[in-house]
Amino acid sequence: MNQDQVKEILLDIEPSQLEFTVTFTGKESKKVNGLYKPDTKEILLHNKNFSVENQLIYTAIHEYTHHLLNETQLNQSGGLRPSYNRVHTNAFWARFHGLLETAEAKGYYVIGLENSPELAQLTEEIKKNYLETNGRLMQEFGQLLAKAHRLCQEANIRYEDYIDRVLKLPRTAAKSITKVAATQINPAIGFENMKLIASLPKEKQQEAEQQLLNGHSPDSVSSLMKKKAEETDARTRLEKEKQRLEKTIRQLTARLELVEENLANL
C-alpha cells in the first residue's frame, strides 16, 4: 500500500474539502507513529513502524481526524489559524472512533480479535468477571452508602464526616457511587461507563446505555448525548422565541385594530 492509496482510503471514509497530503517518511520512530502538521495540512506516517497495513491505516485515520477537525475550525474561524492548546479532546476521540467504525464497515480496518483466540477469550473473561462484576459490586456499594446516609441522619451523625474520616472515601467518589446505585443501569458496561450514564438526564440514559452495549466508545456516546442536548436546547430556545413573537404579533394586531377603529370614528 502506498501513500496515494492511503489518501484515497481516507477520503472514502470521510470526504474533505481541505486539500492535504499523505507522506511516508520511510523512517522508524520510537516516539510517534505519525503526526499531522496543521499549517501545511500534511499527514506524516513513519511507515517503518508498522508490520502490517492494518496498523498503518489505524494511525492514518488518527492523523486524518486531526485534519478534519482542523478543517472544521478553519471554517468556523473564517480561515484564521485556530489555536491548538489541546488536541486530544473528547471531540477528537469521538470523531476518531466514528471514523474507525466507518473504516470497519467499509473493510479498510479491523480490530483483529479473531487473529488471537487467546486474546478473545481473555477479553470475555475481563468483561464478565471484572467489568461486569465490578459494576454490580459498585451498585451494591452505593446502596450500602445510601443506607449509611440514612442511619447517620437517624443517629444525628454528620454523613460528610463519616465519609471523610471513618470510611476515608473521597466525597466525589461516594456521590458518584450512590448516584449509580440509584439508577437501573446494566453493570455489563462497567462502573466507569455506569457513572457516565448516571450523569445524564433520565430520558437519555437508556439510549446511551444501548449505544455502549452496541460497541460505541464512551467518548462517542458522550459526544452524541451532548450534541442531542444542544439540539434540544436550541429547539427549546426557538420555540420560546416563537411564542414571544406570536404574543407580540397578537398584541400589535389588537392595537392596530383599535387605532383603525379610532381613525374611522374621527
Side-chain angles (χ1 to χ4, degrees):
M1 182 179 294
N2 60 42
Q3 52 200 29
D4 292 333
Q5 291 173 317
V6 170
K7 183 175 180 179
E8 289 177 6
I9 288 172
L10 295 176
L11 287 170
D12 189 46
I13 293 171
E14 184 172 325
S16 172
Q17 300 303 315
L18 184 65
E19 183 55 37
F20 69 98
T21 60
V22 176
T23 302
F24 287 4
T25 66
K27 299 177 181 179
E28 181 178 349
S29 172
K30 294 182 179 180
K31 294 182 178 180
V32 294
N33 291 319
L35 61 129
Y36 174 69
K37 294 185 176 181
D39 292 333
T40 57
K41 288 78 175 176
E42 186 177 11
I43 293 174
L44 300 178
L45 300 173
H46 298 311
N47 51 305
K48 294 296 184 180
N49 280 22
F50 311 112
S51 57
V52 294
E53 291 181 348
N54 198 52
Q55 296 175 348
L56 172 67
I57 290 299
Y58 178 89
T59 299
I61 295 172
H62 180 108
E63 303 308 332
Y64 187 51
T65 306
H66 287 302
H67 173 74
L68 292 175
L69 290 175
N70 183 37
E71 180 178 20
T72 300
Q73 291 174 333
L74 287 171
N75 290 337
Q76 292 174 346
S77 65
L80 298 176
R81 186 182 185 278
S83 60
Y84 300 97
N85 296 326
R86 182 166 166 256
V87 292
H88 291 130
T89 61
N90 172 263
F92 170 86
W93 292 115
R95 188 76 173 270
F96 175 48
H97 294 153
L99 293 176
L100 285 177
E101 290 176 8
T102 302
E104 286 181 303
K106 289 178 175 286
Y108 295 130
Y109 172 76
V110 293
I111 293 180
L113 286 180
E114 64 279 1
N115 297 328
S116 175
E118 184 178 0
L119 177 59
Q121 182 179 354
L122 178 62
T123 301
E124 290 306 311
E125 181 182 349
I126 291 172
K127 286 183 175 181
K128 189 68 178 177
N129 297 339
Y130 294 89
L131 289 176
E132 184 173 349
T133 298
N134 182 56
R136 188 173 292 107
L137 283 172
M138 296 306 279
Q139 279 181 327
E140 295 172 359
F141 187 11
Q143 293 168 358
L144 293 177
L145 286 177
K147 182 177 180 180
H149 190 185
R150 177 177 59 80
L151 293 175
C152 282
Q153 289 178 319
E154 292 175 357
N156 294 317
I157 295 172
R158 284 302 300 262
Y159 177 69
E160 295 83 357
D161 194 22
Y162 172 76
I163 289 294
D164 294 340
R165 298 194 302 126
V166 177
L167 294 184
K168 298 174 179 60
L169 185 66
R171 294 188 191 185
T172 53
K175 185 176 180 180
S176 296
I177 296 167
T178 305
K179 194 171 184 178
V180 164
T183 57
Q184 297 299 319
I185 304 175
N186 189 339
I189 63 176
F191 178 63
E192 292 302 317
N193 288 326
M194 293 168 77
K195 288 196 294 184
L196 168 63
I197 300 300
S199 69
L200 298 172
K202 287 188 177 181
E203 63 273 13
K204 301 291 184 182
Q205 290 179 359
Q206 185 175 357
E207 179 184 1
E209 179 183 304
Q210 192 58 52
Q211 290 283 333
L212 288 166
L213 291 172
N214 288 342
H216 297 290
S217 72
D219 290 305
S220 298
V221 174
S222 179
S223 180
L224 176 63
M225 293 299 107
K226 181 179 179 181
K227 182 179 179 181
K228 289 193 173 186
E230 290 173 350
E231 291 174 350
T232 300
D233 290 343
R235 181 178 182 85
T236 300
R237 287 196 300 271
L238 288 173
E239 287 176 346
K240 289 182 177 179
E241 182 179 2
K242 178 175 178 290
Q243 292 172 358
R244 288 196 299 270
L245 290 172
E246 289 174 342
K247 181 179 179 180
T248 301
I249 290 171
R250 289 195 299 270
Q251 292 173 338
L252 290 174
T253 300
R255 178 59 182 168
L256 177 60
E257 291 175 352
L258 179 60
V259 170
E260 290 177 339
E261 183 180 345
N262 289 338
L263 285 172
N265 293 331
L266 289 178

